[in-house]
Amino acid sequence: MSGSASPDGRWSIGELAEQAGVTVKTVRFYSDRGLLPEAARSAGGHRRYGPEALDRLRLIRSLRTLDLPLPQVDRILAQEDAAGATDALEDAVAGQLRALGTQLSALRWREAALRLLHDCTPEERADRLRLIGAVPLPPTTDALARFWRRVLPARLPARLLSTLLEAAVPQPPADPTPSQVLTFARLRAVATDPRVRDIDIRRLAARTSDGACRPAVLYEGLVEACALASADVRAQRPPHAGEALDCFVGAHAGLRDTRDTPAFRRQLSAQLGLLAHPLIDRYWHLAGELPSAARQPTIGAMDDWLRAALDAQVT
């Protein structure tokens, strides 16, 4: 503790402010909120503070320097001598770190977006401004998740739907380049395109001869087939027959409650060729340009590989 108190070991509000390097107004503010302990009152009714007030004031200043809001400072001080004091401070610091991370992410995206606009031609600027202006800061994947919830068959089991969304929805880069900002903005534009209502991917969940409809059977199998094909796709090996293709065809056969035969494979190859949709193709193309695709191929890339393997086998 720097400086000395008066002979009675107490300071006036002005002396405490001087010791702490703050204004009298600041001391009075914290005092009025009950954050500073008063040792006594003078005969004239003026506040007098002991050494513990200086320690408390310095702690408050440290907490406020970390930009902790006053309600959190109140809670930390209230629990300072209790068993939960450490937890209160840890929770407050963790919350600030999360908030700061969000702010930094927004700033990085804003900087990359500004560079994107700065470096483009005047003819490109209006379109790019429209695209990036539609992306919230920091960017979220909400629109992409809604896109797939709208496109995928209804009544999929929650666990399966979660697996599909995790694989289909790429996370925005934490520190994007201008081109990645543009790619993500274009991806979001695809996901919010009004034409999405015309996508009929649900035709994959065709009904069997007995009228049953088992989309979960199909998508469980497709998830497994993609997992088996991922190493080949990542290594850029040519499409070929094997366990991944057998699993892929088996998923479609299981959906229709039929056997995997050469005739079925020829029929499936023709049917799958009719299901292509430009928005879906565009989505996977853009998703493949984001950093996450370098770690794990997109479902679209693996599906293309599996379809190509099927086409090569039946032709």
Side-chain angles (χ1 to χ4, degrees), residues 79-246:
Q79 299 179 23
E80 186 182 12
D81 300 320
T86 301
D87 291 341
L89 179 57
E90 287 180 355
D91 290 345
V93 170
Q96 282 300 101
L97 285 173
R98 288 192 296 270
L100 184 59
T102 298
Q103 294 168 20
L104 289 174
S105 177
L107 287 174
R108 286 191 289 265
W109 273 78
R110 187 173 296 136
E111 179 186 19
L114 288 171
R115 292 189 182 281
L116 177 70
L117 293 173
H118 180 270
D119 296 339
C120 70
T121 65
E123 293 76 19
E124 296 172 317
R125 193 160 291 133
D127 183 58
R128 292 188 175 186
L129 183 59
R130 176 186 59 81
L131 285 169
I132 64 176
V135 179
L137 288 179
T140 70
T141 58
D142 294 350
L144 310 187
R146 285 195 298 271
F147 170 82
W148 285 109
R149 287 180 183 276
R150 188 181 299 116
V151 166
L152 289 169
R155 297 184 298 278
L156 286 176
R159 177 190 55 80
L160 176 57
L161 179 60
S162 176
T163 298
L164 291 169
L165 291 177
E166 183 178 354
V169 176
Q171 293 299 313
D175 189 9
T177 63
S179 63
Q180 289 168 351
V181 166
L182 182 59
T183 295
F184 190 84
R186 285 172 170 165
L187 185 63
R188 189 182 187 281
V190 168
T192 56
D193 191 309
R195 292 174 296 169
V196 69
R197 66 174 64 94
D198 299 327
I199 298 177
D200 193 15
I201 202 173
R202 292 176 175 83
R203 281 184 294 165
L204 284 173
R207 293 186 181 275
T208 59
S209 57
D210 62 1
C213 186
R214 308 184 184 95
V217 172
L218 172 66
Y219 285 93
E220 289 277 12
L222 294 183
V223 168
E224 183 180 354
C226 286
L228 292 170
S230 62
D232 286 326
V233 177
R234 194 163 44 243
Q236 298 184 341
R237 298 188 186 102
H240 58 80
E243 186 179 7
L245 179 59
D246 292 344

Side-chain angles (χ1 to χ4, degrees), residues 62-74:
S62 296
L63 295 172
R64 293 293 286 156
T65 299
L66 296 174
D67 206 26
L68 294 179
L70 275 175
Q72 285 188 322
V73 173
D74 281 345

